[in-house]
Amino acid sequence: EVQFVESGGGLVQAGGSLRLSCAASGFDDDDYAIGWFRQAPGPGKDPEGVSCIRLSDGSTYYATSVKGRFTISSERAENTVFLQMNSLRPEDTAVYYCAIQTITEWVLGPASRTDFGSWGQGTQVTVSS
């Protein structure tokens, strides 16, 4: 069973920055990618795959909505992944879930929770206007 320890998040004004971190354990296949999907508040809001990093070679992937503003990185030895979020916008407000999935199945953009193999408890990110 994959376990996640998530930290970061909080409240920030538009244009500000936040950093999320996620330490994952309980898996041993390098063909996985770790990253985040988010769930915005309100009815009819689909989860959105935000970003992921391939553990084997450090390749990074981003949803169009965050490209150029968010940067994902990792400390491979500790299976810890970071998401640096800059130029935050009110529409980035969501619960961010650290998740793991094989790189070929990772979904960026609109998704459903079942698209991700496992995920953590989530952390709230709120961006005020």
Side-chain angles (χ1 to χ4, degrees), residues 64 101 111:
T64 302
Q101 182 56 285

Side-chain angles (χ1 to χ4, degrees), residues 111-124:
S112 67
R113 291 196 178 205
T114 56
D115 288 328
F116 304 98
S118 299
W119 56 90
Q121 80 279 6
T123 184
Q124 178 70 47

Side-chain angles (χ1 to χ4, degrees), residues 45-118:
K45 294 284 189 178
D46 291 327
E48 180 186 17
V50 174
S51 178
C52 69
I53 185 166
R54 187 174 187 174
L55 297 178
S56 60
D57 63 5
S59 298
T60 58
Y61 305 87
Y62 300 95
T64 302
S65 60
V66 306
K67 197 172 293 184
R69 300 188 297 122
F70 291 11
T71 302
I72 193 167
S73 60
S74 69
E75 288 184 3
R76 183 65 181 96
E78 297 184 359
N79 282 342
T80 300
V81 179
F82 306 94
L83 186 67
Q84 179 66 42
M85 305 184 293
N86 298 330
S87 301
L88 283 161
R89 305 166 180 168
E91 54 265 38
D92 294 317
T93 295
V95 177
Y96 284 68
Y97 296 89
C98 182
I100 189 169
Q101 182 56 285
T102 58
I103 187 61
T104 56
E105 296 181 270
W106 190 277
V107 176
L108 293 170
S112 67
R113 291 196 178 205
T114 56
D115 288 328
F116 304 98
S118 299

